[in-house]
Amino acid sequence: MELWDVYDKHGCKTGKTKQRGSLLISGEFHLAMEIWIVNEEKQLLIQRRAQSKKILPDIWGMTTGCIVAGEDSVSGCIREVQEEIGISLTADDIIFLQRIFRTNTIWDVYVAHKNADLAQLVLQQEEVSEVKWITFDELREMLKDGQF
């Protein structure tokens, strides 16, 4: 059972927790993260979501995840990247970009400059089916084609 901290419209913890999947009422939010991993060739590391995922199956995206109760978004970011694609990051590797409120989710978006050999990555099969490096031009095309 995964628990989420409940946040208010200002991004402050309310002191309440809810089980993942529980209904959040108006004005309640949970915290999530997204990280853009960029290598020295200025390519983005993207991942294809597993076909078994309920939301956006088999779609390419960045590494994302929900933050569990008691965790901040930096710690959650480090955990999610390690769990999903097997890359070790530290807090010093991660740069905060922005906070986005969308429906009942607060998204903390980060970037990290990191090189990684795709052949060495360990993918969490229930979350990720494939990873690849792409250019920003390739990202634009994938967005146009609805692949991302």
Side-chain angles (χ1 to χ4, degrees):
M1 178 177 74
E2 185 174 303
L3 291 177
W4 290 341
D5 287 315
V6 177
Y7 291 78
D8 65 20
K9 66 181 180 180
H10 304 290
C12 298
K13 286 184 184 180
T14 64
K16 295 191 274 183
T17 59
K18 288 200 175 180
Q19 187 174 336
R20 181 183 186 130
S22 297
L23 182 65
L24 293 167
I25 62 173
S26 179
E28 289 185 334
F29 298 84
H30 74 92
L31 187 59
M33 54 65 60
E34 174 177 283
I35 187 162
W36 293 52
I37 299 173
V38 181
N39 68 14
E40 64 188 9
E41 296 175 28
K42 300 202 181 347
Q43 295 172 312
L44 293 167
L45 182 63
I46 62 170
Q47 62 187 54
R48 186 188 297 260
R49 293 174 58 83
Q51 218 168 19
S52 61
K53 296 298 289 176
K54 290 180 185 176
I55 299 172
L56 301 173
D58 211 32
I59 296 293
W60 288 97
M62 301 301 173
T63 302
T64 63
C66 295
I67 307 306
V68 297
E71 192 175 50
D72 61 37
S73 64
V74 170
S75 299
C77 188
I78 292 167
R79 176 184 51 77
E80 288 286 351
V81 170
Q82 181 65 50
E83 287 176 358
E84 291 189 9
I85 57 177
I87 293 177
S88 295
L89 296 174
T90 68
D92 290 336
D93 295 325
I94 300 169
I95 302 165
F96 179 77
L97 292 179
Q98 65 178 339
R99 176 169 269 193
I100 301 167
F101 285 76
R102 184 163 182 234
T103 58
N104 289 98
T105 306
I106 301 169
W107 288 95
D108 281 352
V109 182
Y110 296 93
V111 65
H113 299 281
K114 188 83 168 177
N115 293 316
D117 178 354
L118 299 183
Q120 300 296 314
L121 300 185
V122 178
L123 307 183
Q124 186 181 25
Q125 296 302 310
E126 58 271 11
E127 295 284 338
V128 181
S129 62
E130 187 180 353
V131 291
K132 68 180 177 179
W133 291 107
I134 63 168
T135 66
F136 282 90
D137 287 339
E138 289 170 317
L139 174 62
R140 284 184 203 85
E141 288 304 312
M142 290 177 81
L143 286 165
K144 284 182 197 174
D145 294 343
Q147 298 177 55
F148 192 88

